[in-house]
Amino acid sequence: MKKQKKPYWEMTTEELAAATREFDDPNYDPPAKKPTPKQLAQLRLWQRNRAVKRSTLAISLEQNLIEQAEDYAATHGITFSDLVSDALRRLMRKKSA
């Protein structure tokens, strides 16, 4: 993408539409940027802190449900454990409301 001559908030509707046209494509996949060393250090620290607060749990689920959940988690960029944790939190909030 080219550098803009003026900020988006100062563009006219037509200029903004032209400048952001590539994002209208539903298949647009921007290139990933490598994290900086500082960002990597922050990520590793966050991961270590979360790992310390987690426990392992053995449960039985239908194989088909596990496969669907793993596919969903992978396509949304989260882990299976995070998917299950988030679902449990939402269910408990909904039940307590």
Side-chain angles (χ1 to χ4, degrees), residues 61-68 70:
L61 299 171
E62 297 171 16
Q63 185 64 35
N64 188 32
L65 180 60
I66 294 171
E67 291 168 2
Q68 289 174 352
E70 287 175 339

Side-chain angles (χ1 to χ4, degrees), residues 42-56:
Q42 289 173 331
L43 175 63
R44 300 293 177 243
L45 178 62
W46 179 82
Q47 288 173 330
R48 278 194 303 274
N49 288 341
R50 279 187 58 115
V52 170
K53 298 174 186 174
R54 288 184 172 245
S55 297
T56 302

Side-chain angles (χ1 to χ4, degrees), residues 2-3 13 21 32 35 39-40 42 44 50 54-55 58 69 77 79 82 97:
K2 296 183 260 178
K3 288 273 185 185
T13 304
R21 185 161 293 133
Q39 290 171 328
L40 275 177
Q42 289 173 331
R44 300 293 177 243
R50 279 187 58 115
R54 288 184 172 245
S55 297
T79 64
D82 286 338

